[in-house]
């Protein structure tokens, strides 16, 4: 797509052009201030639903101001002749969805439906803003977060060698040997990536589909449509034959629930329940700030915890807020530096279409980012495009609900003692050996084994703005580190020879890692557990000296 709005910018000195770009894309309404949006939501707990009222502040710029900035930036991008209006050719390039994503359909001839204020055969900024407001959708939405990767590792069933549905301490202690076939890099540790049953790309697609297909027990109840949907979901979840009983209606609305039972049958259908939701005051009132991140209970003015946990209908739910605006800037910087340098195979300071794939931004294509249409994508074009698109991604607030069950991997991947090791998303030999003690902490019926019903569920509602990319470049880099042991941070524990031998950085040296004789290994292994620990290596070093 051509965009002559940036032509003059490229001819300015770098520092000046950067300032002009920021004014164009980010500073069109610099006097904008944060505005709060009030939202009523309902959480369908296992015992009963709970109604909450939330005042959400998005930070320095309101959602409306962010959308206005994005529309102004898009208008400048489309206005190729810089005459302050969009002619027919320019208006046809407006994206239907509002965002310039890969293969995104354009309005084409339907742009004329936007030409209404005034109807003059061209579009002004106000007319484009009206389209953007509709295209980007509701300012607040609810989504189910895809489960974290530890939820899908193959561990429980593979450790249950006798298939009795229980995991014993002995099965955990022998776990590394039982799962040795999955140690693909042969480093005597098992990472999250190695224990996945499917390739990462397939798994992420499955998780995204699951997040979309499964009903979310968290719903907005502000409009008539939202109230009707929440009531139907509530009847389906708690009711029988299209009704809920008086006990549940009373839990929701107290004694006034009876006045919504129009036919006096002591049962509430979806229509009656929707009226009940509409008239019932919220049990919990919250103030949520995205920047700085804070969730505050308005009933507790002295609250100190920035992410409180509440009992919502019989289940504890943690509430937290995340500031993701800095991530957009950070990830754009990552694309312009590390990713660009790695993708620029011939070092000519621009990316051709083949090299562009090295940026790994799957939802954006080469032609869209090539703003001047010269078949070359430069660092400046990457910064310009993704800075603008970042405004579109940040133009709504998402209530993300995560529902995760505690996993055996999470239980084992913990420090055995204070100050020893961290959760590095790898299971080391020591963690398998010490699994017995950890297992007993979660053994609710004290039978010496763990069954799946003993793993607790964890709910969390996160208030945030969507991140810029479908996949986070920094998170992907962290996953790559888990796959590649050579990229792990060097150990600093024990003598130098111990650190060099400890190739998997688990702060132990196994016989396979040891470079000396078997007799030397057994002599150094004073506790005879089959591994040299840092303390044993340091003792041997002192004795040698």
């Amino acid at each position: 797509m051509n965009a002559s709005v940036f032509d003059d910018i490229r001819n300015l000195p770098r520092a000046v052009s950067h300032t002009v770009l920021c004014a164009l894309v980010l500073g069109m309404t610099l006097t904008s201030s944060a505005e709060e949006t009030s939202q009523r939501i309902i959480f369908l707990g296992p015992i009963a639903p709970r109604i909450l009222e939330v005042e959400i502040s998005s930070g320095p710029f309101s959602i409306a101001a962010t959308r206005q900035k994005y529309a102004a930036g898009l208008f400048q991008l489309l206005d190729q002749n810089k005459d302050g209006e969009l002619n027919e050719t320019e208006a046809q390039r407006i994206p239907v969805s509002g965002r310039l994503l890969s293969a995104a359909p354009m309005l084409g001839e339907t742009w004329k439906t936007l030409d209404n204020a005034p109807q003059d055969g061209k579009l002004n900024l106000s007319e484009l803003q009206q389209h953007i407001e509709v295209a980007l959708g509701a300012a607040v939405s609810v989504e189910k977060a895809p489960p974290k990767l530890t939820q899908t590792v193959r561990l429980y069933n593979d450790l249950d060698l006798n298939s009795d549905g229980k995991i014993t301490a002995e099965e955990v202690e022998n776990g590394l040997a039982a799962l040795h076939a999955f140690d693909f890099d042969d480093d005597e540790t098992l990472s999250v990536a190695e224990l996945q049953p499917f390739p990462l790309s397939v798994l992420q697609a499955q998780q995204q589909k699951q997040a979309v297909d499964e009903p979310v027990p968290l719903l907005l109840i502000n409009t008539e449509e939202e109230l009707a949907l929440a009531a139907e979901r509530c009847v389906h979840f708690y009711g029988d034959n299209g009704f809920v009983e008086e006990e549940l209606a009373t839990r929701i609305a107290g004694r006034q629930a009876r006045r919504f039972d129009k036919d006096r049958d002591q049962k509430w259908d979806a229509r009656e329940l929707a009226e009940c939701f509409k008239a019932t005051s919220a049990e919990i009132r919250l103030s949520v700030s995205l920047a700085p991140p804070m969730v505050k209970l308005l009933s507790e003015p002295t609250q100190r915890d920035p992410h409180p946990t509440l009992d919502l209908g019989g289940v504890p739910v943690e509430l937290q807020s995340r500031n993701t605006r800095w991530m957009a800037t950070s990830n754009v910087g990552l694309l312009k530096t590390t990713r660009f340098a790695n993708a620029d195979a011939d070092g000519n300071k621009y990316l051709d279409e083949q090299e562009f794939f090295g940026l790994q931004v799957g939802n954006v294509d080469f032609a869209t980012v090539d703003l001047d249409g010269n078949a070359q994508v430069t660092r400046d074009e990457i910064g310009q495009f993704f800075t603008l698109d970042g405004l579109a991604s940040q133009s709504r607030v998402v209530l993300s609900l995560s529902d995760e069950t505690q996993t055996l991997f999470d239980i084992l991947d913990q420090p055995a003692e204070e100050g020893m090791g961290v959760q590095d998303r790898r299971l080391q030999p020591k963690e398998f050996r010490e699994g017995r003690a950890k297992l007993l902490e979660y053994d609710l019926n004290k039978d010496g084994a763990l069954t799946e019903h003993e793993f607790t569920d964890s709910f969390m509602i996160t208030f945030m703005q969507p991140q810029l990319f479908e996949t986070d470049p920094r998170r992907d880099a962290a996953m790559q580190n888990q796959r590649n042991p050579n990229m792990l941070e060097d150990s600093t524990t024990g003598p130098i020879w111990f650190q060099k031998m400890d190739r998997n950085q688990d702060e132990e040296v196994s016989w396979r890692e040891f470079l000396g004789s078997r007799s030397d290994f057994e002599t150094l292994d004073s506790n005879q557990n089959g591994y040299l620990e840092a303390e044993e290596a340091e003792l041997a070093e002192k004795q040698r000296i």
Side-chain angles (χ1 to χ4, degrees), residues 35-47:
E35 297 176 5
E36 288 191 345
T37 174
S38 179
Q39 299 288 319
R40 281 166 53 88
I41 60 177
I42 187 168
F43 181 83
L44 306 184
I47 297 176

Side-chain angles (χ1 to χ4, degrees), residues 376-427:
Q376 300 175 3
V377 167
T378 64
R379 292 179 191 269
D380 285 343
E381 285 177 316
I382 290 172
Q384 292 158 8
F385 176 84
F386 287 107
T387 299
L388 177 61
D389 194 51
L391 290 173
S393 71
Q394 297 278 296
S395 65
R396 61 191 179 99
V397 175
V398 172
L399 279 61
S400 177
L401 176 68
S402 61
D403 173 10
E404 296 174 350
T405 302
Q406 190 177 46
T407 67
L408 184 58
F409 189 102
D410 291 325
I411 291 174
L412 297 178
D413 186 26
Q414 293 181 6
E417 297 178 26
E418 188 68 22
M420 291 184 59
V422 294
Q423 282 188 289
D424 59 359
R425 296 161 66 86
R426 297 187 305 150
L427 296 184

